[in-house]
Amino acid sequence: MDDRLPFAAGEPCLLFDDRGRRYLLTLRPEGEFQYHLGMIVHADIIGALPGTVLRSSRDAELIPLRPRLADFVLKMKRGATPVYPKDAGAILVWADIGTGMTVLEAGTGSGGLTMVLARAVGPDGRVVSVERREDHAAVATKRIATFFGGMPPQVELRIGEVEDHIAGASPDRIVLDLPEPWHSVPLAAAHLPGGGVLCSYLPTVPQVQTLRSA
């Protein structure tokens, strides 16, 4: 979204108060935002430019800005714990993910990493994200569409097991946020191209050791 354009209904907005505290909301014509220093109606934000100084009902200063992707991932309501920006950046670098690539992601969760991958591959790339749980996929779909103003054409969300989608996706990169990613290694090795990368996000050393020996 162009920051030179005013806010519109349906898009996310990040409000900053005079102490730098941030509040994420989705703008609705009839909406209200209430906090400890009063209230502001969404209608006062809709049509305003980012950076405009607004006032709450108790005359407290509020500044609306469009959230960066990092802000949105950290502040969005979620079901599953997302891959946080500091880790998402490392994944992009170490998996060498760039424009035009096809990335197969497993473990969509709340969609935080999916959004980062969509930005990285761009409109000429493709992100196929597989999630086992329908409730998590539903949350991710809503969050992704809210941030981008609709589902990006390069993103495809699927329900199921990643092993059932590796061959059909023809991925350049595979990114796994799963508790037991080693089950996917044989198929990944068979279907990644020479020089393709399998990247797994794991919290413990024993998991890393098991994956390394798979």
Side-chain angles (χ1 to χ4, degrees):
M1 180 63 72
D2 190 342
D3 282 330
R4 290 166 291 191
L5 296 176
F7 285 103
E11 70 171 296
C13 171
L14 195 68
L15 285 177
F16 285 77
D17 68 13
D18 58 1
R19 294 189 178 182
R21 288 172 293 210
R22 297 171 293 173
Y23 310 92
L24 181 67
L25 54 147
T26 300
L27 296 174
R28 297 176 289 111
E30 72 286 359
E32 295 180 351
F33 169 70
Q34 299 187 31
Y35 74 131
H36 65 289
L37 290 178
M39 179 268 289
I40 188 170
V41 295
H42 291 197
D44 288 346
I45 305 171
I46 296 170
L49 289 170
T52 301
V53 177
L54 303 174
R55 296 284 174 179
S56 76
S57 58
R58 294 176 56 184
D59 201 37
E61 182 179 291
L62 288 167
I63 298 177
L65 295 174
R66 288 194 170 93
R68 301 169 301 170
L69 181 51
D71 296 318
F72 188 82
V73 170
L74 290 171
K75 288 289 187 179
M76 68 182 183
K77 293 181 180 179
R78 50 190 180 261
T81 301
V83 175
Y84 290 111
K86 64 181 179 63
D87 297 318
I91 289 170
L92 291 183
V93 172
W94 287 105
D96 196 30
I97 295 169
T99 304
M101 289 184 175
T102 295
V103 179
L104 177 64
E105 177 196 19
T108 311
S110 295
L113 181 58
T114 311
M115 290 185 272
V116 173
L117 295 173
R119 274 268 187 89
V121 303
D124 295 327
R126 183 176 174 227
V127 177
V128 178
S129 188
V130 183
E131 172 56 52
R132 291 170 175 167
R133 292 179 50 170
E134 291 188 10
D135 56 335
H136 285 176
V139 169
T141 298
K142 184 175 181 180
R143 300 293 172 258
I144 295 168
T146 296
F147 181 77
F148 286 106
M151 185 61 69
Q154 68 266 37
V155 175
E156 180 183 352
L157 297 185
R158 300 180 182 179
I159 305 294
E161 299 293 333
V162 65
E163 291 82 8
D164 297 329
H165 297 274
I166 291 176
S170 300
D172 301 300
R173 303 287 188 264
I174 296 176
V175 179
L176 305 177
D177 182 12
L178 301 172
E180 297 181 344
W182 42 88
H183 297 305
S184 304
V185 169
L187 277 172
H191 292 284
L192 278 170
V197 176
L198 169 67
C199 179
S200 185
Y201 181 67
L202 293 169
T204 71
V205 171
Q207 286 173 297
V208 174
Q209 291 173 327
T210 303
L211 177 63
R212 182 66 182 83
S213 61

